[in-house]
Amino acid sequence: MRYVNGMRGSALAVVVVSAALAVAGCQPGGGGADTADGGVTPSGAVTSAASTTPGAPKPGSSASGPSTPSASRPGSSAPGTSSPAASAPPSSAPAPGGSAATCSADNLKATARQAAVRPDGTGTGAAVVEFTNVSGRTCVLKGHPTVAGAGNGSPEMNVPLTTKPTGAAAQVKVAPGGKAWVKLTFVQVQGEADGYCVSGSAPVVYPTMVVRLPGSGAHQVALDDGQFAECDDTVTVTAVSAIRPS
């Protein structure tokens, strides 16, 4: 009986030990993995070194996001625009029909009248000389005239007057039938009868005047209502103008 009881006691002891081992295997942490230092890392905390952070760029690839416009290469223009080509300076174009020639003496008819605006006195004071283009083509007049008094109305007895130019000279294009003008302003005679000159010299009377234009010949003109009476043989002259002087 002691032997049997001893066997039963040993068997019971084996069962108790086996149950204890089974209970120990079910404790938390039993499924963990051993760490390098002998500790245990919970299975839920294990991370893989091969995993990547979401959104991190892969080596060799650019990060996602707004793209930066590429810089334009030298000599290229921005999209949607064009670079204006360098324009050459405009060339001088000839005037329609070519350049007009200077009017010759034969192209012109000259007449004279006393000017409405003139110095106070009893002499001629001032006269307007009109040039009409009687040719069939346009021609050009330019410059200040020279003036001479024609004694007894004879050009061969001309007395050159001292001329004082006034105003800038400009080219005047005169069409067929067109007109251009110059104004002559004399030193005025004063007083009645034969009159007198302020300078003390005697007044001079010319039946006609010879008016010469640069490149356009000499033209003998008479006043439509009298003679040219002036002092000091001096005259102020305007340049040829396309505007009729008063």
Side-chain angles (χ1 to χ4, degrees), residues 188-219:
Q188 184 64 292
V189 176
Q190 304 297 321
E192 300 298 330
D194 293 338
Y196 67 93
C197 296
V198 172
S199 64
S201 63
V204 179
V205 176
Y206 296 104
T208 62
M209 289 281 179
V210 177
V211 180
R212 181 182 295 273
L213 294 175
S216 298
H219 305 268

Side-chain angles (χ1 to χ4, degrees), residues 2 16 27 62 76 81 101 106 120 148 155 160 178 185 192 222 224:
R2 290 182 180 175
V16 171
Q27 294 297 318
S62 59
S76 65
T81 62
D106 293 340
D120 292 336
T185 302
E192 300 298 330
D224 55 2

Side-chain angles (χ1 to χ4, degrees), residues 38-173:
V40 178
T41 302
S43 60
V46 177
T47 60
S48 171
S51 64
T52 58
T53 302
K58 296 180 181 179
S61 64
S62 59
S64 62
S67 60
T68 303
S70 60
S72 300
R73 293 192 301 272
S76 65
S77 58
T81 62
S82 60
S83 300
S87 57
S91 59
S92 298
S99 299
T102 300
C103 302
S104 66
D106 293 340
N107 295 152
L108 303 171
K109 175 184 178 181
T111 58
R113 61 178 176 81
Q114 191 173 31
V117 178
R118 57 186 186 273
D120 292 336
T122 56
T124 302
V128 173
V129 181
E130 179 180 274
F131 297 92
T132 302
N133 182 358
V134 294
S135 74
R137 62 183 180 85
T138 297
C139 58
V140 170
L141 294 174
K142 182 179 179 180
H144 294 85
T146 59
V147 182
N152 296 322
S154 301
E156 63 273 11
M157 300 180 67
N158 288 352
V159 178
L161 274 60
T162 299
T163 57
K164 296 181 177 181
T166 183
Q171 180 174 286
V172 176
K173 191 174 289 188

